[in-house]
Amino acid sequence: MDVVTAYLYGPLDNNIYMKLPKGFKLPEAVNLGSQEYYSIKLNRSLYGLKQSGRMWYNCLYGYLLAKGYKNDPISPCIFIKRFSSGFVIIVVYVDDLNIIGTPKEISLTVECLKKEFEMKDLGKQDFVLDYILST
């Protein structure tokens, strides 16, 4: 699964201000000087911010924990949930989710995720590239 505009889901944990983008029109009542003297406060993270990846992960992390998934203590990108009839493992890579498990539970998980996030189903995984660091 691919989360569409994932970084826009993450609320900011501190105040971030940015210069006005080119083409931004100020109201006439405020437009007293050059636009370079004005800035805007962001309410959500944007692509390009250093914090965006962390904010998106925190949003997903909180949602999955609230839905009963357990975070793997060794690898924080893995979430596991056991059902009475099966299991689901979600592996997170930035804004992509690889969902592994029993068919019924995968369907339930996808439905649950689509209720909160706009997602595209990329189909079944053909292969997984395993990368091991050697020292």
Side-chain angles (χ1 to χ4, degrees):
M1 304 292 292
D2 176 59
V3 182
V4 178
T5 61
Y7 284 7
L8 302 182
Y9 286 104
L12 294 170
D13 60 355
N14 54 14
N15 293 333
I16 297 179
Y17 297 88
M18 67 179 263
K19 291 182 180 180
L20 294 176
K22 289 182 181 178
F24 187 87
K25 302 287 185 200
L26 286 170
E28 298 243 354
V30 179
N31 199 4
L32 301 174
S34 176
Q35 283 196 340
E36 66 186 47
Y37 298 116
Y38 294 96
S39 62
I40 55 176
K41 180 182 173 186
L42 298 178
N43 292 325
R44 296 254 178 215
S45 63
L46 292 173
Y47 282 86
L49 290 178
K50 293 178 184 178
Q51 302 91 327
S52 294
R54 180 172 45 89
M55 295 294 93
W56 154 241
Y57 175 80
N58 290 345
C59 177
L60 179 65
Y61 174 87
Y63 181 74
L64 290 175
L65 287 186
K67 294 298 180 184
Y69 291 82
K70 304 286 184 214
N71 192 226
D72 183 65
I74 296 171
S75 185
C77 65
I78 297 175
F79 295 87
I80 301 167
K81 184 173 182 180
R82 296 183 192 279
F83 296 82
S84 59
S85 59
F87 69 96
V88 169
I89 300 170
I90 301 173
V91 181
V92 180
Y93 182 76
V94 188
D95 64 346
D96 295 324
L97 308 177
N98 195 356
I99 304 172
I100 305 156
T102 50
K104 178 182 172 191
E105 286 67 26
I106 289 176
S107 296
L108 292 172
T109 299
V110 169
E111 285 177 31
C112 176
L113 288 167
K114 283 186 173 183
K115 286 180 184 175
E116 185 72 13
F117 309 108
E118 183 182 349
M119 305 182 80
K120 285 192 286 187
D121 190 346
L122 302 176
K124 290 189 177 191
Q125 184 103 17
D126 292 331
F127 67 93
V128 176
L129 180 62
D130 185 17
Y131 183 74
I132 300 174
L133 295 173
S134 59
T135 55

